[in-house]
Amino acid sequence: MSMQAMKQSIRQRIIADRELLPVALRVQYSREITARLLQMPEYKAAKTVLGYMSFGAEFSSDEWAQQVLADGKQLLLPKVNLQRKELDLYFVTDLQQDLALGLWDIREPLVERCTKADTWSDVDFILMPGVTFGRDGARLGYGGGFYDKLIAHLPHHPALVAAAYSLQILVHLPQEVTDRKVDWLLTESETINCKHERV
């Protein structure tokens, strides 16, 4: 089986497992994960935060994103640029007014309401989406490679953080050289320092 076929098989299995979680449990887990995110020293110290708007059965990022704004931090959210196959980042100040359903029915910034970030050097903290993760920070996304490209272009190394349910953690994940690992992985039951797990 090729690397891509292997990744796709894992993606399908984990997404199916995630969908089976009862809604009430997903809400509870998302609240517990959000509380952990907000307690991170790396988050507290950050001035500019890159997040994402969740979709489907993944960790619900709404409460966290709302708190980022309430904490007086700058919130950047991504918009897919299909022409360049990259993410454009926009400053968002109002989750109700500044977003609309975009590609794949994911809420994205409205370009007429939001300011595009010309430089990404101010980003201190990145919350990254993903389908499944390893305790060493290995990450399997949805297959577009958008976040791997974004991180490769960063002029510095902000805190790379992922939020997921425990069922999304696997012992071994197939990785390629272009796949970027996260520094921290937060679930409903633990905060994992992935750099320590790599030793």
PDB file of all heavy atoms in Angstrom, residues 53-90:
ATOM      1  N   MET A  53     -11.710  27.768  12.084  1.00  0.00           N
ATOM      2  CA  MET A  53     -13.099  27.508  12.441  1.00  0.00           C
ATOM      3  C   MET A  53     -13.397  26.044  12.125  1.00  0.00           C
ATOM      4  O   MET A  53     -13.189  25.577  11.009  1.00  0.00           O
ATOM      5  CB  MET A  53     -14.039  28.443  11.678  1.00  0.00           C
ATOM      6  CG  MET A  53     -13.831  29.929  11.993  1.00  0.00           C
ATOM      7  SD  MET A  53     -13.669  30.317  13.763  1.00  0.00           S
ATOM      8  CE  MET A  53     -15.341  29.993  14.334  1.00  0.00           C
ATOM      9  N   SER A  54     -13.847  25.344  13.138  1.00  0.00           N
ATOM     10  CA  SER A  54     -14.072  23.908  13.011  1.00  0.00           C
ATOM     11  C   SER A  54     -15.285  23.601  12.135  1.00  0.00           C
ATOM     12  O   SER A  54     -16.144  24.455  11.906  1.00  0.00           O
ATOM     13  CB  SER A  54     -14.279  23.308  14.402  1.00  0.00           C
ATOM     14  OG  SER A  54     -15.264  24.036  15.101  1.00  0.00           O
ATOM     15  N   PHE A  55     -15.321  22.368  11.660  1.00  0.00           N
ATOM     16  CA  PHE A  55     -16.490  21.900  10.901  1.00  0.00           C
ATOM     17  C   PHE A  55     -16.703  20.427  11.208  1.00  0.00           C
ATOM     18  O   PHE A  55     -15.810  19.748  11.709  1.00  0.00           O
ATOM     19  CB  PHE A  55     -16.315  22.148   9.394  1.00  0.00           C
ATOM     20  CG  PHE A  55     -15.425  21.153   8.705  1.00  0.00           C
ATOM     21  CD1 PHE A  55     -15.961  20.164   7.893  1.00  0.00           C
ATOM     22  CD2 PHE A  55     -14.050  21.207   8.868  1.00  0.00           C
ATOM     23  CE1 PHE A  55     -15.141  19.243   7.260  1.00  0.00           C
ATOM     24  CE2 PHE A  55     -13.218  20.289   8.241  1.00  0.00           C
ATOM     25  CZ  PHE A  55     -13.761  19.311   7.433  1.00  0.00           C
ATOM     26  N   GLY A  56     -17.900  19.954  10.915  1.00  0.00           N
ATOM     27  CA  GLY A  56     -18.207  18.545  11.132  1.00  0.00           C
ATOM     28  C   GLY A  56     -18.087  18.170  12.600  1.00  0.00           C
ATOM     29  O   GLY A  56     -18.459  18.940  13.480  1.00  0.00           O
ATOM     30  N   ALA A  57     -17.508  17.009  12.859  1.00  0.00           N
ATOM     31  CA  ALA A  57     -17.451  16.467  14.220  1.00  0.00           C
ATOM     32  C   ALA A  57     -16.131  16.771  14.922  1.00  0.00           C
ATOM     33  O   ALA A  57     -15.851  16.219  15.973  1.00  0.00           O
ATOM     34  CB  ALA A  57     -17.686  14.960  14.180  1.00  0.00           C
ATOM     35  N   GLU A  58     -15.291  17.652  14.321  1.00  0.00           N
ATOM     36  CA  GLU A  58     -14.004  17.907  14.969  1.00  0.00           C
ATOM     37  C   GLU A  58     -14.162  18.791  16.210  1.00  0.00           C
ATOM     38  O   GLU A  58     -15.242  19.355  16.446  1.00  0.00           O
ATOM     39  CB  GLU A  58     -12.994  18.512  13.976  1.00  0.00           C
ATOM     40  CG  GLU A  58     -13.307  19.870  13.436  1.00  0.00           C
ATOM     41  CD  GLU A  58     -12.310  20.331  12.361  1.00  0.00           C
ATOM     42  OE1 GLU A  58     -11.371  19.590  12.026  1.00  0.00           O
ATOM     43  OE2 GLU A  58     -12.498  21.444  11.859  1.00  0.00           O
ATOM     44  N   PHE A  59     -13.096  18.889  17.009  1.00  0.00           N
ATOM     45  CA  PHE A  59     -13.080  19.765  18.177  1.00  0.00           C
ATOM     46  C   PHE A  59     -13.686  21.113  17.797  1.00  0.00           C
ATOM     47  O   PHE A  59     -13.306  21.707  16.790  1.00  0.00           O
ATOM     48  CB  PHE A  59     -11.630  19.948  18.665  1.00  0.00           C
ATOM     49  CG  PHE A  59     -11.391  21.229  19.408  1.00  0.00           C
ATOM     50  CD1 PHE A  59     -11.858  21.383  20.712  1.00  0.00           C
ATOM     51  CD2 PHE A  59     -10.727  22.282  18.804  1.00  0.00           C
ATOM     52  CE1 PHE A  59     -11.653  22.573  21.406  1.00  0.00           C
ATOM     53  CE2 PHE A  59     -10.509  23.477  19.485  1.00  0.00           C
ATOM     54  CZ  PHE A  59     -10.982  23.619  20.792  1.00  0.00           C
ATOM     55  N   SER A  60     -14.643  21.593  18.588  1.00  0.00           N
ATOM     56  CA  SER A  60     -15.306  22.862  18.276  1.00  0.00           C
ATOM     57  C   SER A  60     -14.447  24.024  18.752  1.00  0.00           C
ATOM     58  O   SER A  60     -14.226  24.193  19.953  1.00  0.00           O
ATOM     59  CB  SER A  60     -16.677  22.917  18.958  1.00  0.00           C
ATOM     60  OG  SER A  60     -17.243  24.193  18.751  1.00  0.00           O
ATOM     61  N   SER A  61     -13.952  24.803  17.807  1.00  0.00           N
ATOM     62  CA  SER A  61     -13.028  25.903  18.123  1.00  0.00           C
ATOM     63  C   SER A  61     -13.734  27.224  18.431  1.00  0.00           C
ATOM     64  O   SER A  61     -13.079  28.209  18.757  1.00  0.00           O
ATOM     65  CB  SER A  61     -12.051  26.102  16.956  1.00  0.00           C
ATOM     66  OG  SER A  61     -12.777  26.444  15.779  1.00  0.00           O
ATOM     67  N   ASP A  62     -15.064  27.271  18.343  1.00  0.00           N
ATOM     68  CA  ASP A  62     -15.793  28.537  18.490  1.00  0.00           C
ATOM     69  C   ASP A  62     -15.547  29.228  19.830  1.00  0.00           C
ATOM     70  O   ASP A  62     -15.255  30.428  19.874  1.00  0.00           O
ATOM     71  CB  ASP A  62     -17.304  28.314  18.310  1.00  0.00           C
ATOM     72  CG  ASP A  62     -17.664  28.013  16.867  1.00  0.00           C
ATOM     73  OD1 ASP A  62     -17.124  27.024  16.323  1.00  0.00           O
ATOM     74  OD2 ASP A  62     -18.452  28.764  16.279  1.00  0.00           O
ATOM     75  N   GLU A  63     -15.702  28.460  20.914  1.00  0.00           N
ATOM     76  CA  GLU A  63     -15.566  29.054  22.247  1.00  0.00           C
ATOM     77  C   GLU A  63     -14.143  29.581  22.452  1.00  0.00           C
ATOM     78  O   GLU A  63     -13.933  30.647  23.016  1.00  0.00           O
ATOM     79  CB  GLU A  63     -15.901  27.999  23.315  1.00  0.00           C
ATOM     80  CG  GLU A  63     -16.036  28.570  24.713  1.00  0.00           C
ATOM     81  CD  GLU A  63     -16.343  27.485  25.745  1.00  0.00           C
ATOM     82  OE1 GLU A  63     -16.976  26.463  25.394  1.00  0.00           O
ATOM     83  OE2 GLU A  63     -15.906  27.667  26.897  1.00  0.00           O
ATOM     84  N   TRP A  64     -13.160  28.815  21.975  1.00  0.00           N
ATOM     85  CA  TRP A  64     -11.763  29.240  22.075  1.00  0.00           C
ATOM     86  C   TRP A  64     -11.523  30.524  21.280  1.00  0.00           C
ATOM     87  O   TRP A  64     -10.933  31.478  21.801  1.00  0.00           O
ATOM     88  CB  TRP A  64     -10.842  28.119  21.584  1.00  0.00           C
ATOM     89  CG  TRP A  64      -9.403  28.540  21.532  1.00  0.00           C
ATOM     90  CD1 TRP A  64      -8.529  28.631  22.578  1.00  0.00           C
ATOM     91  CD2 TRP A  64      -8.689  28.954  20.371  1.00  0.00           C
ATOM     92  NE1 TRP A  64      -7.311  29.081  22.138  1.00  0.00           N
ATOM     93  CE2 TRP A  64      -7.376  29.293  20.787  1.00  0.00           C
ATOM     94  CE3 TRP A  64      -9.012  29.075  19.025  1.00  0.00           C
ATOM     95  CZ2 TRP A  64      -6.394  29.737  19.901  1.00  0.00           C
ATOM     96  CZ3 TRP A  64      -8.052  29.520  18.135  1.00  0.00           C
ATOM     97  CH2 TRP A  64      -6.756  29.841  18.573  1.00  0.00           C
ATOM     98  N   ALA A  65     -11.993  30.559  20.029  1.00  0.00           N
ATOM     99  CA  ALA A  65     -11.788  31.741  19.177  1.00  0.00           C
ATOM    100  C   ALA A  65     -12.452  32.978  19.792  1.00  0.00           C
ATOM    101  O   ALA A  65     -11.899  34.083  19.750  1.00  0.00           O
ATOM    102  CB  ALA A  65     -12.325  31.483  17.774  1.00  0.00           C
ATOM    103  N   GLN A  66     -13.630  32.785  20.357  1.00  0.00           N
ATOM    104  CA  GLN A  66     -14.339  33.890  21.012  1.00  0.00           C
ATOM    105  C   GLN A  66     -13.518  34.412  22.196  1.00  0.00           C
ATOM    106  O   GLN A  66     -13.429  35.619  22.425  1.00  0.00           O
ATOM    107  CB  GLN A  66     -15.716  33.411  21.497  1.00  0.00           C
ATOM    108  CG  GLN A  66     -16.690  34.530  21.812  1.00  0.00           C
ATOM    109  CD  GLN A  66     -17.043  35.383  20.594  1.00  0.00           C
ATOM    110  OE1 GLN A  66     -17.574  34.893  19.606  1.00  0.00           O
ATOM    111  NE2 GLN A  66     -16.705  36.661  20.643  1.00  0.00           N
ATOM    112  N   GLN A  67     -12.899  33.497  22.930  1.00  0.00           N
ATOM    113  CA  GLN A  67     -12.100  33.898  24.093  1.00  0.00           C
ATOM    114  C   GLN A  67     -10.809  34.605  23.673  1.00  0.00           C
ATOM    115  O   GLN A  67     -10.332  35.503  24.376  1.00  0.00           O
ATOM    116  CB  GLN A  67     -11.784  32.681  24.964  1.00  0.00           C
ATOM    117  CG  GLN A  67     -11.246  33.035  26.342  1.00  0.00           C
ATOM    118  CD  GLN A  67     -12.209  33.911  27.151  1.00  0.00           C
ATOM    119  OE1 GLN A  67     -13.391  33.610  27.243  1.00  0.00           O
ATOM    120  NE2 GLN A  67     -11.697  34.996  27.724  1.00  0.00           N
ATOM    121  N   VAL A  68     -10.254  34.202  22.535  1.00  0.00           N
ATOM    122  CA  VAL A  68      -9.064  34.893  22.001  1.00  0.00           C
ATOM    123  C   VAL A  68      -9.379  36.383  21.847  1.00  0.00           C
ATOM    124  O   VAL A  68      -8.609  37.254  22.275  1.00  0.00           O
ATOM    125  CB  VAL A  68      -8.635  34.292  20.640  1.00  0.00           C
ATOM    126  CG1 VAL A  68      -7.568  35.158  19.979  1.00  0.00           C
ATOM    127  CG2 VAL A  68      -8.123  32.869  20.808  1.00  0.00           C
ATOM    128  N   LEU A  69     -10.542  36.673  21.258  1.00  0.00           N
ATOM    129  CA  LEU A  69     -10.956  38.070  21.065  1.00  0.00           C
ATOM    130  C   LEU A  69     -11.234  38.743  22.412  1.00  0.00           C
ATOM    131  O   LEU A  69     -10.826  39.884  22.640  1.00  0.00           O
ATOM    132  CB  LEU A  69     -12.196  38.138  20.170  1.00  0.00           C
ATOM    133  CG  LEU A  69     -11.994  37.661  18.724  1.00  0.00           C
ATOM    134  CD1 LEU A  69     -13.324  37.612  17.980  1.00  0.00           C
ATOM    135  CD2 LEU A  69     -11.010  38.563  17.983  1.00  0.00           C
ATOM    136  N   ALA A  70     -11.907  38.022  23.307  1.00  0.00           N
ATOM    137  CA  ALA A  70     -12.225  38.575  24.632  1.00  0.00           C
ATOM    138  C   ALA A  70     -10.951  38.877  25.425  1.00  0.00           C
ATOM    139  O   ALA A  70     -10.925  39.816  26.232  1.00  0.00           O
ATOM    140  CB  ALA A  70     -13.119  37.612  25.403  1.00  0.00           C
ATOM    141  N   ASP A  71      -9.883  38.112  25.167  1.00  0.00           N
ATOM    142  CA  ASP A  71      -8.618  38.312  25.865  1.00  0.00           C
ATOM    143  C   ASP A  71      -7.798  39.453  25.264  1.00  0.00           C
ATOM    144  O   ASP A  71      -6.665  39.711  25.705  1.00  0.00           O
ATOM    145  CB  ASP A  71      -7.782  37.017  25.844  1.00  0.00           C
ATOM    146  CG  ASP A  71      -8.355  35.951  26.781  1.00  0.00           C
ATOM    147  OD1 ASP A  71      -9.150  36.309  27.681  1.00  0.00           O
ATOM    148  OD2 ASP A  71      -8.009  34.761  26.611  1.00  0.00           O
ATOM    149  N   GLY A  72      -8.345  40.083  24.224  1.00  0.00           N
ATOM    150  CA  GLY A  72      -7.658  41.229  23.622  1.00  0.00           C
ATOM    151  C   GLY A  72      -6.515  40.860  22.695  1.00  0.00           C
ATOM    152  O   GLY A  72      -5.673  41.692  22.361  1.00  0.00           O
ATOM    153  N   LYS A  73      -6.494  39.615  22.249  1.00  0.00           N
ATOM    154  CA  LYS A  73      -5.447  39.181  21.319  1.00  0.00           C
ATOM    155  C   LYS A  73      -5.917  39.399  19.876  1.00  0.00           C
ATOM    156  O   LYS A  73      -7.111  39.491  19.618  1.00  0.00           O
ATOM    157  CB  LYS A  73      -5.118  37.702  21.539  1.00  0.00           C
ATOM    158  CG  LYS A  73      -4.626  37.389  22.954  1.00  0.00           C
ATOM    159  CD  LYS A  73      -4.351  35.900  23.115  1.00  0.00           C
ATOM    160  CE  LYS A  73      -4.076  35.543  24.565  1.00  0.00           C
ATOM    161  NZ  LYS A  73      -2.841  36.132  25.094  1.00  0.00           N
ATOM    162  N   GLN A  74      -4.959  39.466  18.954  1.00  0.00           N
ATOM    163  CA  GLN A  74      -5.311  39.536  17.537  1.00  0.00           C
ATOM    164  C   GLN A  74      -5.567  38.114  17.047  1.00  0.00           C
ATOM    165  O   GLN A  74      -4.756  37.214  17.277  1.00  0.00           O
ATOM    166  CB  GLN A  74      -4.179  40.180  16.740  1.00  0.00           C
ATOM    167  CG  GLN A  74      -4.011  41.664  17.020  1.00  0.00           C
ATOM    168  CD  GLN A  74      -3.148  42.314  15.958  1.00  0.00           C
ATOM    169  OE1 GLN A  74      -1.983  41.971  15.789  1.00  0.00           O
ATOM    170  NE2 GLN A  74      -3.714  43.259  15.233  1.00  0.00           N
ATOM    171  N   LEU A  75      -6.702  37.939  16.364  1.00  0.00           N
ATOM    172  CA  LEU A  75      -7.075  36.618  15.855  1.00  0.00           C
ATOM    173  C   LEU A  75      -6.965  36.591  14.339  1.00  0.00           C
ATOM    174  O   LEU A  75      -7.606  37.390  13.647  1.00  0.00           O
ATOM    175  CB  LEU A  75      -8.510  36.278  16.276  1.00  0.00           C
ATOM    176  CG  LEU A  75      -9.088  34.963  15.733  1.00  0.00           C
ATOM    177  CD1 LEU A  75      -8.303  33.752  16.240  1.00  0.00           C
ATOM    178  CD2 LEU A  75     -10.565  34.826  16.100  1.00  0.00           C
ATOM    179  N   LEU A  76      -6.151  35.681  13.848  1.00  0.00           N
ATOM    180  CA  LEU A  76      -6.051  35.440  12.412  1.00  0.00           C
ATOM    181  C   LEU A  76      -6.778  34.142  12.087  1.00  0.00           C
ATOM    182  O   LEU A  76      -6.669  33.164  12.823  1.00  0.00           O
ATOM    183  CB  LEU A  76      -4.586  35.285  11.990  1.00  0.00           C
ATOM    184  CG  LEU A  76      -3.752  36.554  11.869  1.00  0.00           C
ATOM    185  CD1 LEU A  76      -2.269  36.195  11.775  1.00  0.00           C
ATOM    186  CD2 LEU A  76      -4.158  37.367  10.653  1.00  0.00           C
ATOM    187  N   LEU A  77      -7.539  34.174  10.991  1.00  0.00           N
ATOM    188  CA  LEU A  77      -8.201  32.955  10.513  1.00  0.00           C
ATOM    189  C   LEU A  77      -7.869  32.764   9.040  1.00  0.00           C
ATOM    190  O   LEU A  77      -7.668  33.739   8.302  1.00  0.00           O
ATOM    191  CB  LEU A  77      -9.717  33.052  10.714  1.00  0.00           C
ATOM    192  CG  LEU A  77     -10.204  33.032  12.169  1.00  0.00           C
ATOM    193  CD1 LEU A  77     -11.714  33.234  12.232  1.00  0.00           C
ATOM    194  CD2 LEU A  77      -9.823  31.726  12.869  1.00  0.00           C
ATOM    195  N   PRO A  78      -7.811  31.506   8.581  1.00  0.00           N
ATOM    196  CA  PRO A  78      -7.394  31.227   7.207  1.00  0.00           C
ATOM    197  C   PRO A  78      -8.545  31.220   6.202  1.00  0.00           C
ATOM    198  O   PRO A  78      -9.687  30.903   6.537  1.00  0.00           O
ATOM    199  CB  PRO A  78      -6.794  29.828   7.319  1.00  0.00           C
ATOM    200  CG  PRO A  78      -7.592  29.179   8.411  1.00  0.00           C
ATOM    201  CD  PRO A  78      -7.978  30.266   9.377  1.00  0.00           C
ATOM    202  N   LYS A  79      -8.183  31.577   4.975  1.00  0.00           N
ATOM    203  CA  LYS A  79      -9.092  31.445   3.827  1.00  0.00           C
ATOM    204  C   LYS A  79      -8.298  30.718   2.748  1.00  0.00           C
ATOM    205  O   LYS A  79      -7.169  31.107   2.439  1.00  0.00           O
ATOM    206  CB  LYS A  79      -9.543  32.818   3.343  1.00  0.00           C
ATOM    207  CG  LYS A  79     -10.562  32.751   2.199  1.00  0.00           C
ATOM    208  CD  LYS A  79     -11.044  34.151   1.846  1.00  0.00           C
ATOM    209  CE  LYS A  79     -12.044  34.120   0.694  1.00  0.00           C
ATOM    210  NZ  LYS A  79     -13.281  33.404   1.009  1.00  0.00           N
ATOM    211  N   VAL A  80      -8.877  29.671   2.195  1.00  0.00           N
ATOM    212  CA  VAL A  80      -8.165  28.879   1.181  1.00  0.00           C
ATOM    213  C   VAL A  80      -8.061  29.674  -0.119  1.00  0.00           C
ATOM    214  O   VAL A  80      -9.052  30.193  -0.628  1.00  0.00           O
ATOM    215  CB  VAL A  80      -8.887  27.537   0.918  1.00  0.00           C
ATOM    216  CG1 VAL A  80      -8.225  26.775  -0.222  1.00  0.00           C
ATOM    217  CG2 VAL A  80      -8.889  26.687   2.188  1.00  0.00           C
ATOM    218  N   ASN A  81      -6.831  29.773  -0.620  1.00  0.00           N
ATOM    219  CA  ASN A  81      -6.585  30.380  -1.926  1.00  0.00           C
ATOM    220  C   ASN A  81      -6.302  29.227  -2.894  1.00  0.00           C
ATOM    221  O   ASN A  81      -5.195  28.676  -2.912  1.00  0.00           O
ATOM    222  CB  ASN A  81      -5.387  31.333  -1.835  1.00  0.00           C
ATOM    223  CG  ASN A  81      -5.135  32.065  -3.134  1.00  0.00           C
ATOM    224  OD1 ASN A  81      -5.298  31.502  -4.223  1.00  0.00           O
ATOM    225  ND2 ASN A  81      -4.731  33.315  -3.045  1.00  0.00           N
ATOM    226  N   LEU A  82      -7.326  28.853  -3.652  1.00  0.00           N
ATOM    227  CA  LEU A  82      -7.206  27.670  -4.530  1.00  0.00           C
ATOM    228  C   LEU A  82      -6.235  27.899  -5.677  1.00  0.00           C
ATOM    229  O   LEU A  82      -5.586  26.962  -6.140  1.00  0.00           O
ATOM    230  CB  LEU A  82      -8.586  27.294  -5.086  1.00  0.00           C
ATOM    231  CG  LEU A  82      -9.418  26.324  -4.226  1.00  0.00           C
ATOM    232  CD1 LEU A  82     -10.715  25.990  -4.924  1.00  0.00           C
ATOM    233  CD2 LEU A  82      -8.652  25.044  -3.915  1.00  0.00           C
ATOM    234  N   GLN A  83      -6.145  29.141  -6.158  1.00  0.00           N
ATOM    235  CA  GLN A  83      -5.236  29.433  -7.271  1.00  0.00           C
ATOM    236  C   GLN A  83      -3.795  29.116  -6.895  1.00  0.00           C
ATOM    237  O   GLN A  83      -3.060  28.507  -7.659  1.00  0.00           O
ATOM    238  CB  GLN A  83      -5.345  30.904  -7.685  1.00  0.00           C
ATOM    239  CG  GLN A  83      -6.562  31.192  -8.562  1.00  0.00           C
ATOM    240  CD  GLN A  83      -6.600  32.658  -8.971  1.00  0.00           C
ATOM    241  OE1 GLN A  83      -6.440  33.557  -8.158  1.00  0.00           O
ATOM    242  NE2 GLN A  83      -6.825  32.892 -10.252  1.00  0.00           N
ATOM    243  N   ARG A  84      -3.414  29.548  -5.680  1.00  0.00           N
ATOM    244  CA  ARG A  84      -2.039  29.320  -5.237  1.00  0.00           C
ATOM    245  C   ARG A  84      -1.900  28.051  -4.396  1.00  0.00           C
ATOM    246  O   ARG A  84      -0.791  27.688  -3.996  1.00  0.00           O
ATOM    247  CB  ARG A  84      -1.539  30.524  -4.428  1.00  0.00           C
ATOM    248  CG  ARG A  84      -1.362  31.784  -5.252  1.00  0.00           C
ATOM    249  CD  ARG A  84      -0.368  32.753  -4.626  1.00  0.00           C
ATOM    250  NE  ARG A  84      -0.379  32.733  -3.157  1.00  0.00           N
ATOM    251  CZ  ARG A  84      -1.183  33.459  -2.401  1.00  0.00           C
ATOM    252  NH1 ARG A  84      -2.054  34.282  -2.965  1.00  0.00           N
ATOM    253  NH2 ARG A  84      -1.130  33.392  -1.093  1.00  0.00           N
ATOM    254  N   LYS A  85      -3.038  27.409  -4.103  1.00  0.00           N
ATOM    255  CA  LYS A  85      -3.047  26.221  -3.231  1.00  0.00           C
ATOM    256  C   LYS A  85      -2.374  26.525  -1.891  1.00  0.00           C
ATOM    257  O   LYS A  85      -1.541  25.754  -1.389  1.00  0.00           O
ATOM    258  CB  LYS A  85      -2.365  25.025  -3.922  1.00  0.00           C
ATOM    259  CG  LYS A  85      -3.156  24.501  -5.112  1.00  0.00           C
ATOM    260  CD  LYS A  85      -2.603  23.172  -5.564  1.00  0.00           C
ATOM    261  CE  LYS A  85      -3.530  22.430  -6.492  1.00  0.00           C
ATOM    262  NZ  LYS A  85      -3.825  23.110  -7.742  1.00  0.00           N
ATOM    263  N   GLU A  86      -2.732  27.688  -1.344  1.00  0.00           N
ATOM    264  CA  GLU A  86      -2.182  28.136  -0.066  1.00  0.00           C
ATOM    265  C   GLU A  86      -3.288  28.757   0.776  1.00  0.00           C
ATOM    266  O   GLU A  86      -4.401  28.979   0.284  1.00  0.00           O
ATOM    267  CB  GLU A  86      -1.077  29.172  -0.296  1.00  0.00           C
ATOM    268  CG  GLU A  86       0.198  28.595  -0.852  1.00  0.00           C
ATOM    269  CD  GLU A  86       1.280  29.642  -1.050  1.00  0.00           C
ATOM    270  OE1 GLU A  86       1.032  30.842  -0.813  1.00  0.00           O
ATOM    271  OE2 GLU A  86       2.381  29.253  -1.460  1.00  0.00           O
ATOM    272  N   LEU A  87      -2.957  29.060   2.029  1.00  0.00           N
ATOM    273  CA  LEU A  87      -3.891  29.757   2.906  1.00  0.00           C
ATOM    274  C   LEU A  87      -3.545  31.238   2.945  1.00  0.00           C
ATOM    275  O   LEU A  87      -2.377  31.608   3.100  1.00  0.00           O
ATOM    276  CB  LEU A  87      -3.804  29.187   4.332  1.00  0.00           C
ATOM    277  CG  LEU A  87      -4.210  27.725   4.520  1.00  0.00           C
ATOM    278  CD1 LEU A  87      -3.943  27.290   5.952  1.00  0.00           C
ATOM    279  CD2 LEU A  87      -5.678  27.503   4.162  1.00  0.00           C
ATOM    280  N   ASP A  88      -4.556  32.087   2.794  1.00  0.00           N
ATOM    281  CA  ASP A  88      -4.403  33.513   3.063  1.00  0.00           C
ATOM    282  C   ASP A  88      -4.935  33.745   4.473  1.00  0.00           C
ATOM    283  O   ASP A  88      -5.952  33.155   4.867  1.00  0.00           O
ATOM    284  CB  ASP A  88      -5.210  34.355   2.065  1.00  0.00           C
ATOM    285  CG  ASP A  88      -4.634  34.273   0.651  1.00  0.00           C
ATOM    286  OD1 ASP A  88      -3.410  34.056   0.512  1.00  0.00           O
ATOM    287  OD2 ASP A  88      -5.413  34.420  -0.314  1.00  0.00           O
ATOM    288  N   LEU A  89      -4.263  34.594   5.233  1.00  0.00           N
ATOM    289  CA  LEU A  89      -4.659  34.834   6.622  1.00  0.00           C
ATOM    290  C   LEU A  89      -5.262  36.226   6.772  1.00  0.00           C
ATOM    291  O   LEU A  89      -4.727  37.202   6.239  1.00  0.00           O
ATOM    292  CB  LEU A  89      -3.453  34.683   7.555  1.00  0.00           C
ATOM    293  CG  LEU A  89      -2.665  33.372   7.444  1.00  0.00           C
ATOM    294  CD1 LEU A  89      -1.550  33.334   8.476  1.00  0.00           C
ATOM    295  CD2 LEU A  89      -3.584  32.170   7.595  1.00  0.00           C
ATOM    296  N   TYR A  90      -6.366  36.294   7.519  1.00  0.00           N
ATOM    297  CA  TYR A  90      -7.067  37.565   7.723  1.00  0.00           C
ATOM    298  C   TYR A  90      -7.313  37.813   9.212  1.00  0.00           C
ATOM    299  O   TYR A  90      -7.590  36.878   9.974  1.00  0.00           O
ATOM    300  CB  TYR A  90      -8.430  37.545   7.008  1.00  0.00           C
ATOM    301  CG  TYR A  90      -8.336  37.604   5.508  1.00  0.00           C
ATOM    302  CD1 TYR A  90      -8.144  36.444   4.760  1.00  0.00           C
ATOM    303  CD2 TYR A  90      -8.429  38.813   4.831  1.00  0.00           C
ATOM    304  CE1 TYR A  90      -8.043  36.490   3.379  1.00  0.00           C
ATOM    305  CE2 TYR A  90      -8.336  38.871   3.449  1.00  0.00           C
ATOM    306  CZ  TYR A  90      -8.138  37.706   2.729  1.00  0.00           C
ATOM    307  OH  TYR A  90      -8.033  37.763   1.357  1.00  0.00           O
TER     308      TYR A  90
END
